[in-house]
Amino acid sequence: MAKTLGRPGPHPLNTLREQLEANLVGAFNELRLSSAAMAGNELGSDNARGVVVLTSSVAGYEGKMGQVARLDGASRLGMK
C-alpha cells in the first residue's frame, strides 16, 4: 500500500495509471472480447448465449486515513 503523501512526497500518479490500465482496462478488454465470442453461440435452454461473472473483494472499500486504497481495489470499483 502507498500513502497519498509519504516522506518521499506525493504518491506517484503513474503507479495508479499503470494499475488501472492493467486491472480496469484489462478486465474491460476481456469482457468485450468474451462477449463478442459468446454472441456467436446458439441460444441455450435458458435463452442465453453465455454468462460473464465479475468478482471482486471489499478491498476497494477499505483503507486507512492517508493511504491510497489498494490500487487493484480502485480498479475493481471502476468495474462496478
Side-chain angles (χ1 to χ4, degrees):
M1 289 210 204
K3 291 187 175 189
T4 305
L5 177 62
R7 288 187 182 155
H11 183 277
L13 188 56
N14 201 44
T15 303
L16 176 64
R17 285 191 176 121
E18 289 170 359
Q19 287 290 318
L20 290 174
E21 176 72 26
N23 296 326
L24 182 58
V25 176
F28 179 78
N29 190 42
E30 179 62 33
L31 178 62
R32 73 183 187 91
L33 294 174
S34 56
S35 296
M38 285 187 286
N41 293 344
E42 292 188 28
L43 288 174
S45 60
D46 58 354
N47 207 28
R49 291 184 167 89
V51 175
V52 174
V53 178
L54 300 174
T55 61
S56 184
S57 71
V58 298
Y61 296 102
E62 297 177 354
K64 296 181 181 176
M65 186 179 295
Q67 280 188 331
V68 175
R70 284 184 40 184
L71 295 178
D72 60 330
S75 306
R76 290 176 186 159
L77 284 174
M79 290 298 293
K80 196 166 183 196

